[in-house]
Amino acid sequence: MPVKVKICGVRTREIADTAVAAGADYVGLVFFPKSPRYIAPDAARPLAELALGRIETVAVLVDPDDALVDEILATVRPSLLQLHGSESPARVAAIKARSGLRAIKAIGVATEDDVGKAAAYRGIADMILFDAKAPAGSELSGGHGLAFDWRALRGPLVERPFALSGGLGPDNVWEALVATDADMVDVSSGVERAPGEKGPELVRRFIQAVKAFRPLKKAIGS
């Protein structure tokens, strides 16, 4: 199967349409006010409606309380949730039970030891997203455009399916896939012209590169 693609931090109809037309599998809507990619729930609803039946929408939340979860469910009606904060396994399970939706749990990675933290979410999260750990003191848990040493994902601690994020873009995503063979890749700043402002051509190039990876790999027998 081709690698799946998530375009995260979508804030405009143009980028949502571009992602759908180019063959992305998910669009991510960020509901963390400190992020330059933040979108208010009321503004996100038309984008989620646009995606309905064409592509899955992911609500990206950072340590949300129950009130925010309920607001997003009622207003946006996403396909699934991405929990990108310090949510414990118990909290992830509680949010899944409350929402009735699948959940992706992000794990910040600086070293191979961080990869092992994913084991605590086994059987709870539907997918683990390995992202570059945020710099010390940062208020943002993702979206920094930083990569980590992808070799950390080659060990036995990594279970499939898993997703990769952090510092990806059209020009290095093949290198990342060769190193990790991730099942899904998640891009945000790597397809932006400025923080929070995505470029349609960058989005298209990224999706085209990812979707060509496994078919070409199979064709050359590697």
Side-chain angles (χ1 to χ4, degrees), residues 189-208:
S189 61
V191 292
E192 289 181 345
R193 299 176 294 207
E197 181 189 337
K198 289 182 165 52
E201 184 56 31
L202 290 170
V203 170
R204 279 190 287 268
R205 282 181 54 211
F206 185 86
I207 295 169
Q208 289 165 0

Side-chain angles (χ1 to χ4, degrees), residues 63-138:
D63 297 310
D65 58 19
D66 287 347
L68 178 57
V69 172
D70 291 346
E71 180 184 8
I72 297 303
L73 293 176
T75 305
V76 183
R77 300 177 184 173
S79 310
L80 63 160
L81 306 177
Q82 178 177 315
L83 302 173
H84 214 103
S86 58
E87 300 89 358
S88 68
R91 181 59 179 153
V92 173
I95 291 172
K96 283 188 63 176
R98 187 178 191 88
S99 66
L101 298 178
R102 293 165 290 152
I104 299 168
K105 178 67 184 91
I107 301 289
V109 179
T111 68
E112 190 171 348
D113 290 341
D114 294 318
V115 175
K117 297 175 183 177
Y121 297 89
R122 191 172 296 154
I124 300 172
D126 296 277
M127 180 181 283
I128 295 295
L129 168 66
F130 293 104
D131 193 4
K133 183 174 284 187
S138 174

Side-chain angles (χ1 to χ4, degrees), residues 3-197:
V3 179
K4 292 189 175 183
V5 180
K6 174 169 163 275
I7 305 298
C8 199
V10 173
R11 301 174 67 227
T12 67
R13 184 184 185 98
E14 178 188 24
I15 295 301
D17 275 332
T18 299
V20 172
D25 301 279
Y26 308 94
V27 289
L29 307 170
V30 176
F31 300 104
F32 184 58
K34 294 178 180 179
S35 170
R37 299 160 192 97
Y38 171 74
I39 187 168
D42 285 343
R45 183 169 185 166
L47 299 183
E49 291 174 345
L50 173 70
L52 189 64
R54 305 165 70 197
I55 192 172
E56 292 199 289
T57 56
V58 183
V60 181
L61 305 170
V62 179
D63 297 310
D65 58 19
D66 287 347
L68 178 57
V69 172
D70 291 346
E71 180 184 8
I72 297 303
L73 293 176
T75 305
V76 183
R77 300 177 184 173
S79 310
L80 63 160
L81 306 177
Q82 178 177 315
L83 302 173
H84 214 103
S86 58
E87 300 89 358
S88 68
R91 181 59 179 153
V92 173
I95 291 172
K96 283 188 63 176
R98 187 178 191 88
S99 66
L101 298 178
R102 293 165 290 152
I104 299 168
K105 178 67 184 91
I107 301 289
V109 179
T111 68
E112 190 171 348
D113 290 341
D114 294 318
V115 175
K117 297 175 183 177
Y121 297 89
R122 191 172 296 154
I124 300 172
D126 296 277
M127 180 181 283
I128 295 295
L129 168 66
F130 293 104
D131 193 4
K133 183 174 284 187
S138 174
E139 293 184 303
L140 301 178
S141 53
H144 296 277
L146 302 174
F148 61 92
D149 188 343
W150 298 317
R151 292 174 296 180
L153 301 182
R154 292 179 178 172
L157 297 177
V158 178
E159 290 197 345
R160 293 191 179 276
F162 74 90
L164 176 67
S165 188
L168 300 178
D171 296 327
N172 73 348
V173 69
W174 269 45
E175 181 184 355
L177 288 170
V178 168
T180 66
D181 198 27
D183 300 285
M184 181 176 93
V185 288
D186 183 328
V187 68
S188 187
S189 61
V191 292
E192 289 181 345
R193 299 176 294 207
E197 181 189 337

